[in-house]
Amino acid sequence: PSLAKPRGHYSPAVIHNGLAFVSGQLPLDGEGKIVGTTVEEQMLQCLRNMETILKASGSGVSLVVKANVFVTDIAFWPKINGVFADFFGNHRPARVVVPTGKLIDGVFVEVDCIAAINN
């Protein structure tokens, strides 16, 4: 309930065979409003949204095995990498950073992931 409802025909996450597949998270608050005016602020909000979904799925940040980061401009790479490193700490999931051009609503970044379920 703390996250914005999906706008499209998808689930925030699907659990299958011991894994949580988290859909792309935008930097939105629970009312669907964009959080942050910088790529760093928006990246952190995406990761926080992802973390909320992971916890609800019986997983957590330390169980993320793969993350995908979609960013409007690859020049943001050092900034999003810094936020990612601070957020994950010593945990280093596999990751890809994909430059995309424009994203929905003019946001700078979107993040999805796959994580193990904590049994």
Side-chain angles (χ1 to χ4, degrees):
S2 65
L3 298 175
K5 292 187 190 240
R7 295 179 187 176
H9 186 75
Y10 65 93
S11 299
V14 172
I15 297 171
H16 182 72
N17 284 343
L19 296 172
F21 296 83
V22 178
S23 294
Q25 295 303 301
L26 296 169
L28 304 176
D29 65 15
E31 296 176 2
K33 295 180 182 167
I34 296 171
V35 174
T37 57
T38 67
V39 70
E40 295 96 335
E41 293 167 333
Q42 290 188 7
M43 179 69 178
L44 184 56
Q45 184 64 36
C46 291
L47 292 170
R48 287 178 176 158
N49 291 348
M50 182 190 75
E51 181 177 31
T52 297
I53 292 169
L54 288 170
K55 286 180 181 177
S57 300
S59 186
V61 172
S62 66
L63 296 171
V64 172
V65 295
K66 175 76 181 341
N68 298 307
V69 180
F70 304 94
V71 62
T72 57
D73 187 338
I74 201 64
F76 288 137
W77 189 91
K79 293 177 179 182
I80 61 173
N81 188 61
V83 174
F84 194 91
D86 288 344
F87 187 82
F88 279 97
N90 291 329
H91 181 59
R92 291 175 172 246
R95 183 187 77 187
V96 64
V97 176
V98 181
T100 62
K102 288 184 181 180
L103 289 169
I104 192 167
D105 294 334
V107 300
F108 299 123
V109 65
E110 181 174 358
V111 179
D112 73 8
C113 75
I114 301 169
I117 300 294
N118 192 10
N119 291 330

